[in-house]
Amino acid sequence: MPSSLLWAVDVHGGVYSLSTAGQYWELCKDGRLQFKRLAAVKQCCWGIACDHQIYVYVHSNEVPIRYQEETYENQRWNPVDGFSDRLLPSDRWQWSNVAGL
């Protein structure tokens, strides 16, 4: 049976993994990052860190990553209500690439 991983986040944002072949939780390599949420599938694990960035960890396997896709969420700041998804007609679309398209 191939081994698989169980991922967990502690109360301080540290990420740990437990292999089905192992007996102990292991702290992930980059201990400086603190995470809020994690999600995982067989091929990879991704999470939202405390710096509001998305990080992806891809397990080493035979399938290479073919290309990288970047997506930007455009929101307008309102001093009273904070960020809002209501945009002005002159703003970029709600989701765009680096060029705003």
Side-chain angles (χ1 to χ4, degrees):
M1 180 172 125
S3 67
S4 60
L5 292 174
L6 175 66
W7 296 88
V9 179
D10 67 5
V11 295
H12 302 291
V15 177
Y16 294 84
S17 64
L18 175 66
S19 173
T20 54
Q23 296 180 354
Y24 302 103
W25 288 95
E26 294 181 24
L27 181 63
C28 288
K29 295 177 184 175
D30 194 353
R32 297 173 296 166
L33 288 175
Q34 296 177 338
F35 282 82
K36 294 180 178 182
R37 299 275 190 264
L38 283 180
V41 294
K42 186 176 180 180
Q43 299 84 4
C44 66
C45 176
W46 63 94
I48 299 175
C50 291
D51 62 358
H52 302 287
Q53 297 294 316
I54 297 173
Y55 292 88
V56 177
Y57 172 75
V58 179
H59 307 294
S60 59
N61 60 12
E62 306 84 41
V63 180
I65 297 175
R66 297 190 195 316
Y67 60 90
Q68 178 179 345
E69 183 71 33
E70 294 182 359
T71 305
Y72 297 86
E73 181 180 8
N74 302 311
Q75 294 182 341
R76 180 161 288 279
W77 172 257
N78 182 343
V80 177
D81 300 326
F83 283 105
S84 171
D85 58 357
R86 290 183 176 170
L87 301 175
L88 297 176
S90 60
D91 289 338
R92 295 177 175 186
W93 292 95
Q94 204 164 15
W95 295 94
S96 67
N97 61 12
V98 70
L101 303 175

